[in-house]
Amino acid sequence: MSARNTLKRLGLLIMILKRNHYPSKQELLDYYEQRDLGMSDRSFSRMLEHLRNEFDIHIAYHATHRGYYIDWNKSMDLYAMEDLIELSQINQLIIEYLKNQAVHNDYIILDSRTEMEGMDVFVPLMKAIKECKEVRFNHFKYETEQMSEQLVQPYFLKEFERRWYLVGKRITDGKRRVYGLDRIHNFEQSTKGFTKDERFHIEDYKNTVGLKIVGEG
């Protein structure tokens, strides 16, 4: 296992546990498999042991909830380690997805330096956009403090004021919507494809200030 993949696995595990309530081992292994970072049960156990011994980060299993969580009481220096991992992930994402000018022009609108929160769904969203696959996720709205399930046709990603957003069409009502990546939870890519709306042009958004013109659901 390369050092880069090890670091990516560690970072993904921490972010998943922060954003999801008690995922099972199979859910975690499936998550890695979908991102070409698959591992065996034994490798998963070694990763937890590595986090505990090397970084003093304790990942525990909750019998009642039947899933894993971060034991905050036992873990030390978690925030420093988390920042290091997430920074490495952002750099790797930039290398993998922004170095290709064609991909950059077709799928991404850059504005400035991005925040790290929500970047765990960046790669699968890019994959869904390129393959024209519908996606499903829960979206948290700060105004109402409520989570709602969204079924979306993803069109492109835009960065604005150091945060990343998904711009797409909500399938339930056919409206264009904007979703902050930091508010997306339980992301899933559907096997169902879609045909892009010819009226939906990325050029319409490149020179806009903010994302209010399309609303936010």
Side-chain angles (χ1 to χ4, degrees), residues 103 190 205 209:
V103 171
S190 170
Y205 300 86
V209 178

Side-chain angles (χ1 to χ4, degrees), residues 12 18 21 41 49 65 124 163 168 187 189 203 216:
L12 284 171
K18 280 181 59 183
H21 295 292
D41 284 4
E49 183 178 358
H65 294 286
R163 292 187 182 278
F187 175 89
Q189 177 179 309
E203 290 78 12
E216 192 164 349

